[in-house]
Amino acid sequence: MEYLLGIDLGTSSVRAALVGADGRVAGIAGREYPIQTPHPDWAEQDPETWWQASVAAIRRVVAQTGLPAAAIRAVGLSGQMHGLVLLDQEGRPLRPAIIWPDKRSQAQCREIAARMDPGQLYGITGMPTATGLFGVSLLWVKEHEPQLYQRIHTAFLPKDFIRYRLTREIATDVTDGSGTLLFDVTRRHWSGPIVDALELKTGYLPAPLESVSLAGRLTAEAAAATGLAAGTPVSAGGGDQLMGAIGAGITAAGVVASTIGTGGQVFTAAGQPLFDPGRRIHTLCHALPDRWFLMGAILAAGLSLRWFKENFCQPEDRDGAGAGTGSYELLSQAAATVEPGAQGLLFLPYLCGERTPHMDPNAKGCFIGLSLAHRQAHLVRAVMEGVAFAMKDSLAVFAELGIPVRTIIASGGAARSEVWSQIQADIYETPVTILSNREHSVYGAALLAGVTGGIFGAADLQRLDRPVERRIAPDPDHAAIYRKHYTIYRSLYPSLKAAFEQLA
Ligand SMILES: Nc1ncnc2c1ncn2[C@@H]1O[C@H](COP(=O)(O)OP(=O)(O)O)[C@@H](O)[C@H]1O
Ligand SMILES: O=C(CO)[C@@H](O)[C@H](O)COP(=O)(O)O
């Protein structure tokens, strides 16, 4: 049988998966790396570290499956979105990549709003202006590192660096391009008027390919490093959420994803670009050439629970052997002992500011309603519920815009927890489905490589069987409690906005 290799360059780790021509995952391996914060608001990663981690993950998954390199028909790429990677003329990184959680560029956001009407900008890009977006970070580099800016030969996105090291081809794709704030999402190309208005250049922006396109072939140098065969085709690939959509089969209206990983995303597919007059959702190019992608994104989703665990749950952290998953299991068990509503306790998960729906880098995390009755388990449950309320805000925007929500597919680390999955179904008031294969992004990257490599047709991606692990129905009694709490939750941000600004 022939196999496809998917690589997903995440924010915390890179994952490599081998998928057979029958659509089954033969093996998966990962390698973690840190986020550097040389200043409190900064978030950077070293592209060379990404490459070394990718090589290690590829070698590990190939060794695990024992497959010969010749059996791998094509390589596909998925990656964390919005980050800025800058190369010099020799193809060397000019500086660490500035990645999506970075918040240094608030002044540039204001400057962009002064240079271009925000409604007009959103109408072209489909992106609300926010710190951490490629275009905003690029403007920061131009203003703060002008000498380095002059030496930019290539500006592209995180997974593009991995493709470059595999093939030595400089390229990007429409899905990642459409997350930059410099892209015309309807025309699926860089926007000349925006680049001109921000006094940037187009010369260093690679032509955007459709995700299924062949972007290059593995060089002898990359073959030696990875153990793969020289000449193996490599597809353009795309942003991790878009590859996740391919992996989970989200290619038509009505099927919606709720992903609670480090960040959280609610997304679906559409036959045409759709723009939110409130500029709360992101409209991106879908990985299928005739489709678009509508997404609400929250910043501290799983990250909120991780923050709580690491700072306030030392015994659980220790008892879970520090392995991450074990300690989350203990917290899930604790949350399950508490009634829905956490005895009147609410949590706002704005630990890093917020994107959808508030688009406010100054928003702050809060527990509201604390009393002497509350124990640690109540706080854990409130964190899980607060994250689900924040995700429901995106579903509420979808409802307002007439975007249908018939099925919700949950994924990310939170879908490993029975209690958190039930909380999602109860708060969304919609059944939640969990697929057996939870690694949607790396799986989607491999499937798309199958189209590039000629194993699948694009239509097969939609038809492929995606076995269901479980379906969770909302509990009507819980839903009634959460409906009341959600009304209170929604009233809190407007009441606290001014205080958040003063605390910033
Ligand atoms: N067993 C679990 N129970 C509850 N939450 C979990 C569990 N495992 C992971 N998580 C949550 O998922 C988050 C990690 O999600 P994951 O999708 O693995 O990360 P990434 O965003 O790096 O891909 C953690 O921060 C945690 O909040
Ligand atoms: O910011 C977004 C989407 O807008 C994220 O999708 C990032 O692309 C990183 O995702 P993870 O590495 O947390 O899965």
Side-chain angles (χ1 to χ4, degrees):
M1 186 162 52
E2 292 184 300
Y3 288 83
L4 303 156
L5 174 69
I7 303 169
D8 175 30
L9 187 76
T11 314
S12 317
S13 67
V14 58
R15 278 160 278 211
L18 280 164
V19 175
D22 58 359
R24 285 184 199 205
V25 179
I28 188 155
R31 180 62 80 93
E32 293 195 349
Y33 33 73
I35 297 179
Q36 267 113 31
T37 48
H39 298 282
D41 278 347
W42 292 21
E44 300 188 336
Q45 280 175 330
D46 172 22
E48 201 56 48
T49 305
W50 286 338
W51 170 244
Q52 295 304 336
S54 302
V55 167
I58 295 168
R59 284 196 166 273
R60 206 180 287 174
V61 73
V62 172
Q64 210 182 78
T65 53
L67 289 166
I72 300 169
R73 176 76 174 264
V75 178
L77 291 158
S78 158
Q80 52 166 295
M81 299 172 67
H82 316 302
L84 175 69
V85 181
L86 300 173
L87 305 186
D88 68 10
Q89 203 155 12
E90 275 74 48
R92 289 176 307 226
L94 277 164
R95 66 176 328 292
I98 302 178
I99 65 169
W100 64 274
D102 192 280
K103 294 210 295 177
R104 77 185 71 184
S105 50
Q106 291 189 37
Q108 285 67 37
C109 289
R110 288 193 291 275
E111 195 183 319
I112 290 170
R115 280 171 186 248
M116 210 169 166
D117 171 61
Q120 189 193 358
L121 181 65
Y122 178 76
I124 297 172
T125 63
M127 288 291 294
T129 305
T131 54
L133 298 185
F134 176 102
V136 186
S137 300
L138 189 55
L139 200 56
W140 183 93
V141 171
K142 184 176 180 232
E143 290 172 7
H144 290 263
E145 298 175 345
Q147 286 175 343
L148 185 148
Y149 182 80
Q150 292 307 325
R151 291 170 52 215
I152 300 175
H153 179 266
T154 304
F156 58 10
L157 290 112
K159 58 111 184 46
D160 297 329
F161 182 75
I162 302 305
R163 186 179 342 82
Y164 173 65
R165 294 299 293 268
L166 289 171
T167 65
R168 290 289 169 190
E169 298 289 344
I170 289 176
T172 193
D173 83 290
V174 295
T175 68
D176 249 349
S178 62
T180 62
L181 200 71
L182 303 179
F183 210 77
D184 184 328
V185 69
T186 308
R187 290 178 46 244
R188 301 174 87 96
H189 211 283
W190 298 109
S191 163
I194 295 175
V195 172
D196 290 347
L198 303 187
E199 293 179 43
L200 296 168
K201 292 185 268 189
T202 46
Y204 45 57
L205 300 172
L209 302 171
E210 288 292 338
S211 296
V212 294
S213 311
L214 174 69
R217 289 177 184 274
L218 216 75
T219 62
E221 175 200 5
T226 58
L228 301 174
T232 307
V234 180
S235 70
D240 55 3
Q241 301 310 318
L242 294 298
M243 292 301 106
I246 295 293
I250 297 177
T251 54
V255 189
V256 173
S258 165
T259 305
I260 300 182
T262 307
Q265 300 84 23
V266 172
F267 61 78
T268 190
Q272 60 283 314
L274 186 146
F275 300 94
D276 167 22
R279 301 198 295 273
R280 295 157 297 180
I281 61 162
H282 309 60
T283 301
L284 297 151
C285 298
H286 198 283
L288 297 180
D290 54 352
R291 269 159 236 204
W292 280 264
F293 180 89
L294 311 173
M295 175 177 78
I298 72 164
L299 292 175
L303 182 58
S304 289
L305 189 63
R306 180 166 141 194
W307 162 80
F308 189 78
K309 172 175 82 75
E310 288 173 353
N311 291 287
F312 308 110
C313 306
Q314 271 79 13
E316 287 77 3
D317 225 6
R318 207 178 41 240
D319 295 349
T325 300
S327 43
Y328 287 123
E329 280 307 320
L330 293 178
L331 293 186
S332 286
Q333 285 165 22
T337 64
V338 173
E339 291 296 311
Q343 225 171 318
L345 185 61
L346 285 166
F347 174 70
L348 306 190
Y350 311 141
L351 298 172
C352 314
E354 192 52 296
R355 295 227 303 251
T356 306
H358 309 306
M359 299 297 164
D360 181 356
N362 294 328
K364 302 272 179 283
C366 309
F367 281 105
I368 309 259
L370 278 168
S371 75
L372 289 176
H374 290 123
R375 293 172 288 107
Q376 185 201 55
H378 293 90
L379 274 70
V380 172
R381 185 157 189 127
V383 168
M384 291 177 169
E385 293 175 348
V387 170
F389 284 139
M391 301 286 280
K392 188 180 168 98
D393 275 345
S394 291
L395 291 171
V397 178
F398 278 18
E400 202 184 304
L401 299 175
I403 300 167
V405 179
R406 281 190 287 276
T407 311
I408 295 184
I409 299 180
S411 71
R416 285 186 211 123
S417 157
E418 215 162 294
V419 64
W420 208 346
S421 303
Q422 184 67 54
I423 287 171
Q424 287 188 72
D426 295 342
I427 287 182
Y428 304 158
E429 297 190 57
T430 308
V432 161
T433 300
I434 295 173
L435 301 178
S436 309
N437 170 10
R438 290 137 184 274
E439 295 281 355
H440 299 171
S441 297
V442 72
Y443 184 56
L447 291 182
L448 215 62
V451 179
T452 312
I455 291 187
F456 305 126
D460 296 329
L461 297 182
Q462 294 164 65
R463 278 197 293 265
L464 208 73
D465 182 35
R466 291 172 176 85
V468 169
E469 186 187 289
R470 59 202 160 104
R471 278 201 179 84
I472 302 151
D475 176 311
D477 295 335
H478 297 180
I481 296 167
Y482 286 137
R483 218 171 295 139
K484 282 192 200 143
H485 276 222
Y486 182 57
T487 307
I488 305 168
Y489 175 90
R490 271 174 83 94
S491 72
L492 290 173
Y493 172 80
S495 315
L496 291 167
K497 186 173 162 41
F500 291 152
E501 257 160 47
Q502 284 163 30
L503 289 169

